[in-house]
Amino acid sequence: MSLQNFKCNDVKGKEVSLEEFLTEVLSKMLTEKPEDPLFNFQKFSNLVRFGEFTPSREIKENENTISKKEVKQTIEIGDPLSKANEYLLTINPPPKTKKKEKESEKEDQERDEEETEEKEEEQEEIEEEEEEEEENKISDILYEGKLFRDAAGIGLDEVELFRLLISMKSLVRKNKDINSIRFFGKIYGTQKNYYVVETEQKKEEENEEENTKEDGKEKEIPKEEEGTNKYIYYVSNSVGGEAETWTKLPDVTPEIIQKSRLIKKFFTGNLKASVTSHPPLNLPEIYLLRAQIARISHSTTLAPLNFMTIPSGDEEEDDVTEEIPNNMTIAKPELPPVEKNEEFQEKLKEFNISVLGNWVNVLPTILSSQGRCALFLEDEGKLNDKDFKKTLEVIPKPLLPVSDENWSIHSKQLLLSNEVVCLRNVVWPGAYCLGHKKSSHSLTFANLYIGYGVKSGDFSPQFILPIFDEYKELNLNQQRDHSIDELKQFLPPLKLDEDEEEHNDDE
């Protein structure tokens, strides 16, 4: 028996075959495409069952009698075969022709190309921003190196400078904490050479340990965060490689600086090499290298006069001024802040770079008594005592012009308004400062060290400690050995057993 013989008499009193009813329900479900067809089958069945549903054959019979309103509310079922075909087309669409496939592939390819182009443009923008940030962090060593080489005849060749620039960029790219980086110089060694870069970057927080000595002795002088440890240095034996070739130097301590002043020794180029010296350092070469870099930088880093300034209100006047020259001051627990002078550009037109007095030391002086820049005091209340202040170390004032005792200057006129000067340090051979005044509104200067990391002058090693006296021998008299009979006198009496004691009592 076919499905057409089954009639649904409860659809608003109209007789509809079961085949037509199920066909309409499936058609509606294929049109609406519900998420859960099996679960929503009853809802669609009720919609067709209680909605305005009229079979197609009845519409054809009563086509002239049905009103327009009724026609709009009527759902045409149509031929069951056509509905089945629509269903088959929905679940199994016909294969696309080659032309349509090519068009769709072309559209997909164009869409993919547009997306890749957008991604590439975004990536290029990000890379350009990163390159700009890197360039702002790195000093222009190619220009500075060319100036040093052409005007002063010192420095590195072009290939070596270019390899150095690549290596510095890789270091900045890896270490995002670096705010600025410059080429400090090159220190020669007996086996290898050191390339040194100076960076300003965020420092890692360290746990402060109490440096106290036993037996109630005085505290050790702690290392400082600013001053000698203001900059962080990296060294490498070669340039042009990846960032892993650079080694970060540790912070320097006052004790190592004080010992380095008594040592005059060439470096080997191996950071882990032991330092054989007197007084003994008892540390690898990396610590001696860091101490020498601190001494060199604080003695030879120059800048034009008035390029850096101390903010007004931070300058302290010394109470003890009777015996101190005007260009000197006493050591203080805090270093005065030094910042860039914004008004220097306005006075650049009248600035003469060929005068030695127009160049100043930028970094503070390292105290000869403590091996650090800021004075360390256990009790800062002693500073209120004028008699105690007279005992403090006297140092040059900050931003003091250099003298001809430590520096020599050479000038070279390239053009009428284009002058280059080179300052050479006498105390630390290999330390140079070069200034280039391009015009009345442009001035470039740079500091460079290329040497052995050894201070000039005669070396007087520390005297060896006095040798202790030999052990004083005593006058010994040989004695005669005792005889057996004499030794028996010192023997204790023998103890008898209980049986022997009872036997002696019976007797």
Side-chain angles (χ1 to χ4, degrees):
M1 184 179 290
S2 63
L3 293 176
Q4 293 181 357
N5 296 329
F6 290 94
K7 303 293 181 180
C8 299
N9 297 322
D10 56 348
V11 181
K12 288 191 176 184
K14 300 175 184 178
E15 291 185 359
V16 180
S17 65
L18 183 59
E19 181 183 2
E20 291 176 339
F21 176 77
L22 292 176
T23 304
E24 186 64 26
V25 172
L26 293 175
S27 176
K28 271 192 168 297
M29 293 183 70
L30 291 173
T31 305
E32 298 294 334
K33 295 181 181 179
E35 294 182 356
D36 193 351
L38 184 61
F39 179 77
N40 295 312
F41 183 81
Q42 184 65 31
K43 294 181 180 180
F44 281 88
S45 176
N46 293 333
L47 177 63
V48 176
R49 184 178 181 185
F50 299 105
E52 292 297 332
F53 172 72
T54 304
S56 58
R57 55 182 173 78
E58 192 172 337
I59 292 175
K60 292 179 181 178
E61 294 175 358
N62 303 324
E63 186 175 0
N64 298 325
T65 60
I66 298 175
S67 63
K68 293 182 179 179
K69 184 176 182 181
E70 290 177 349
V71 171
K72 290 182 180 178
Q73 295 177 352
T74 300
I75 302 175
E76 297 183 1
I77 294 178
D79 187 11
L81 184 60
S82 63
K83 294 293 182 181
N85 291 332
E86 290 179 4
Y87 174 72
L88 290 174
L89 290 174
T90 305
I91 62 175
N92 188 16
K96 297 180 180 180
T97 60
K98 293 183 178 181
K99 186 176 181 181
K100 290 183 177 180
E101 286 181 357
K102 289 181 179 179
E103 290 178 356
S104 61
E105 289 178 359
K106 188 176 181 181
E107 290 177 358
D108 295 339
Q109 187 176 359
E110 290 177 355
R111 194 181 303 108
D112 294 339
E113 289 178 356
E114 290 178 358
E115 291 178 357
T116 53
E117 286 178 0
E118 290 177 358
K119 291 180 180 179
E120 288 177 357
E121 289 178 358
E122 292 177 358
Q123 187 67 23
E124 288 178 359
E125 290 178 359
I126 295 171
E127 290 178 356
E128 287 177 0
E129 291 177 359
E130 291 179 353
E131 288 180 0
E132 288 179 1
E133 291 180 359
E134 291 175 3
E135 290 177 358
N136 294 332
K137 292 179 180 180
I138 302 174
S139 60
D140 192 359
I141 61 172
L142 297 179
Y143 169 71
E144 294 171 0
K146 188 176 186 305
L147 272 181
F148 274 107
R149 188 173 58 254
D150 296 345
I154 56 176
L156 310 179
D157 56 47
E158 293 181 359
V159 177
E160 197 173 7
L161 280 173
F162 187 74
R163 291 171 60 86
L164 176 64
L165 179 61
I166 295 174
S167 188
M168 289 170 66
K169 283 187 176 182
S170 63
L171 178 62
V172 172
R173 196 175 295 112
K174 182 182 178 183
N175 193 344
K176 300 297 182 181
D177 293 335
I178 295 178
N179 298 323
S180 65
I181 182 172
R182 78 172 185 95
F183 179 52
F184 174 83
K186 185 177 180 180
I187 296 178
Y188 297 118
T190 57
Q191 300 174 8
K192 299 178 183 178
N193 302 326
Y194 288 122
Y195 295 91
V196 187
V197 293
E198 180 184 277
T199 66
E200 282 187 282
Q201 67 181 67
K202 297 178 183 178
K203 295 186 178 180
E204 299 176 356
E205 295 182 359
E206 298 180 358
N207 297 327
E208 295 183 358
E209 299 179 356
E210 295 182 356
N211 297 324
T212 55
K213 291 185 178 181
E214 298 178 357
D215 303 330
K217 294 184 179 180
E218 294 182 358
K219 285 184 179 180
E220 291 183 358
I221 299 175
K223 69 177 184 180
E224 53 187 350
E225 296 299 326
E226 296 295 326
T228 53
N229 292 318
K230 180 180 180 181
Y231 300 103
I232 295 177
Y233 295 88
Y234 292 83
V235 298
S236 176
N237 295 121
S238 61
V239 291
E242 298 296 331
E244 286 74 14
T245 58
W246 294 96
T247 302
K248 180 182 177 182
L249 298 183
D251 289 343
V252 68
T253 60
E255 182 183 3
I256 298 176
I257 288 183
Q258 293 294 71
K259 286 185 178 181
S260 67
R261 287 170 168 167
L262 303 174
I263 299 172
K264 196 168 187 179
K265 186 178 179 65
F266 289 131
F267 293 103
T268 61
N270 183 9
L271 295 174
K272 297 180 181 179
S274 59
V275 179
T276 305
S277 62
H278 180 76
L281 186 62
N282 298 326
L283 290 170
E285 186 174 285
I286 186 174
Y287 292 94
L288 180 62
L289 177 64
R290 178 64 181 87
Q292 293 297 88
I293 290 174
R295 295 176 62 197
I296 293 170
S297 62
H298 282 261
S299 301
T300 63
T301 304
L302 303 185
L305 183 66
N306 296 326
F307 182 79
M308 306 294 289
T309 183
I310 299 175
S312 58
D314 293 326
E315 298 180 0
E316 297 181 2
E317 295 183 359
D318 300 326
D319 297 335
V320 184
T321 57
E322 297 177 357
E323 302 177 356
I324 299 178
N326 295 330
N327 60 347
M328 306 294 283
T329 183
I330 59 174
K332 297 180 178 64
E334 294 183 359
L335 299 174
V338 178
E339 61 184 23
K340 189 175 180 180
N341 187 7
E342 301 296 338
E343 300 178 356
F344 175 76
Q345 198 69 23
E346 300 175 359
K347 303 177 182 179
L348 183 58
K349 185 176 181 179
E350 301 175 356
F351 185 77
N352 188 1
I353 63 174
S354 60
V355 177
L356 187 63
N358 285 340
W359 295 89
V360 299
N361 280 310
V362 179
L363 299 181
T365 305
I366 300 178
L367 302 179
S368 59
S369 59
Q370 292 190 350
R372 50 180 284 160
C373 298
L375 181 67
F376 173 72
L377 293 175
E378 294 183 12
D379 183 12
E380 295 186 2
K382 294 182 180 180
L383 291 174
N384 298 326
D385 187 2
K386 290 186 178 181
D387 295 333
F388 176 75
K389 282 188 175 182
K390 292 180 180 179
T391 62
L392 295 178
E393 184 177 345
V394 178
I395 58 174
K397 285 186 175 181
L399 303 180
L400 187 70
V402 298
S403 62
D404 54 0
E405 296 179 359
N406 300 331
W407 292 88
S408 63
I409 188 169
H410 304 279
S411 177
K412 183 178 181 180
Q413 194 83 17
L414 299 179
L415 294 173
L416 186 61
S417 60
N418 194 358
E419 186 178 6
V420 177
V421 296
C422 181
L423 291 85
R424 185 176 65 88
N425 191 275
V426 180
V427 180
W428 291 96
Y432 300 91
C433 178
L434 188 136
H436 181 205
K437 189 176 181 181
K438 300 178 184 179
S439 62
S440 59
H441 302 286
S442 177
L443 173 63
T444 304
F445 67 95
N447 295 275
L448 180 67
Y449 179 82
I450 298 181
Y452 289 92
V454 179
K455 194 174 182 180
S456 65
D458 298 331
F459 175 63
S460 298
Q462 187 182 22
F463 290 105
I464 301 175
L465 296 175
I467 301 173
F468 290 104
D469 296 333
E470 294 289 341
Y471 180 76
K472 294 181 180 179
E473 297 182 358
L474 300 176
N475 294 326
L476 302 177
N477 296 323
Q478 188 175 4
Q479 296 181 355
R480 181 181 62 83
D481 293 337
H482 295 282
S483 63
I484 296 175
D485 296 334
E486 291 175 347
L487 292 175
K488 286 182 178 181
Q489 297 177 3
F490 298 99
L491 293 175
L494 296 174
K495 292 183 180 181
L496 299 175
D497 298 337
E498 294 180 358
D499 297 338
E500 293 181 356
E501 289 180 359
E502 291 179 359
H503 181 70
N504 290 337
D505 293 340
D506 293 340
E507 291 179 355

